[in-house]
Amino acid sequence: AINGLVNVLLTVPAILWIDRWGRRPTLLVGTVCIIVFYLALALLLRSYDVAAPAASAGARGLGIASIVMVYMVVASFAFSWGPCVWLVASEIFPTHLRATASSVTTATNWISNFVVTLTSPILLQAIGWRLFMAFSAIMVVNLAVIYLFLPETKNMTLEDMDSVFADSVWAFRLPSAGPKASSPAAPSDASDSLDPGGTLLADESNYPLRADESGYALHTNASADLSQDTA
């Protein structure tokens, strides 16, 4: 019950602030925390195995500390890997591949969970505390993969993904912020945008058009007085 409660509560910060933190920093920080707490858990269990007798106060303290480390691993996962993997997987693929790729990532995630759930009790029985050393080592590999290859996708639209991954294969060389929106320059002479009938025209390749209530096509960035005169 405590384990589940920790998992739920520590997901809330990600829900509230993931768009402020960014995906890449959140995953990097969460991965470092998981590495540290898995390593601490392995060392505590190693110390518990050699404690004598097992019912001593020292062994009891090691057992409690080990349980706390399990909660800390869950907390670190809850604000980082738990929500972020689903978010990143839904963002990084181009439109024509998104449905298929998202299906593959979801299937891979659940198959991996299934395998780990089945094998962990067996491995824990066979190698004991070394299992958590192995988990810590796996997370070190994950840390390198995220740092080297996962770009930041905060503030980026789905249409930006192709350009993001086309810039460089090394994610740490990419800018951390989303693409800056560029505003096209206004026409130098607004009178040139008027046709003989008095309708304000715009270059469709640069500016969006909209129709006002009287049916005229008005430039969305036209000045208020010019729009009034045209109407």
Side-chain angles (χ1 to χ4, degrees):
I2 296 175
N3 193 68
L5 182 63
V6 169
N7 197 357
V8 172
L9 292 180
L10 267 295
T11 304
V12 174
I15 296 174
L16 297 178
W17 298 304
I18 189 65
D19 286 328
R20 181 183 305 175
W21 295 343
R23 288 78 164 126
R24 179 179 165 87
T26 301
L27 283 172
L28 288 173
V29 171
T31 303
V32 170
C33 291
I34 293 173
I35 291 170
V36 171
F37 294 135
Y38 263 144
L39 182 60
L41 175 60
L43 295 177
L44 286 168
L45 292 177
R46 170 72 173 81
S47 300
Y48 184 87
D49 286 346
V50 299
S56 65
R60 177 178 173 81
L62 290 171
I64 294 174
S66 299
I67 295 173
V68 171
M69 289 301 105
V70 171
Y71 295 156
M72 296 304 294
V73 169
V74 171
S76 302
F77 176 87
F79 79 82
S80 59
W81 280 83
C84 272
V85 292
W86 302 103
L87 186 59
V88 170
S90 68
E91 291 178 334
I92 62 175
F93 298 109
T95 304
H96 66 285
L97 294 176
R98 186 164 296 116
T100 301
S102 297
S103 300
V104 171
T105 56
T106 301
T108 303
N109 197 343
W110 285 111
I111 291 172
S112 301
N113 288 336
F114 178 73
V115 171
V116 171
T117 302
L118 288 182
T119 58
S120 289
I122 301 172
L123 293 173
L124 190 58
Q125 184 70 27
I127 61 177
W129 58 273
R130 296 174 184 83
L131 173 63
F132 300 105
M133 293 288 286
F135 286 164
S136 184
I138 291 172
M139 295 307 294
V140 170
V141 175
N142 286 336
L143 182 67
V145 170
I146 294 168
Y147 179 76
L148 294 175
F149 302 115
L150 181 65
E152 178 57 67
T153 57
K154 180 183 70 171
N155 297 330
M156 293 184 180
T157 64
L158 298 178
E159 289 73 20
D160 293 327
M161 288 301 106
D162 288 338
S163 60
V164 170
F165 285 94
D167 288 342
S168 173
V169 69
W170 305 112
F172 60 89
R173 293 183 178 178
L174 298 175
S176 58
K180 297 181 180 179
S182 57
S183 300
S188 58
D189 187 357
S191 62
D192 294 340
S193 299
L194 295 174
D195 71 357
T199 303
L200 184 64
L201 302 178
D203 183 358
E204 291 183 1
S205 63
N206 293 326
Y207 301 98
L209 299 176
R210 63 178 176 83
D212 67 352
E213 293 179 355
S214 60
Y216 290 104
L218 296 179
H219 190 299
T220 57
N221 292 331
S223 62
D225 55 344
L226 183 57
S227 299
Q228 182 65 32
D229 292 342
T230 303

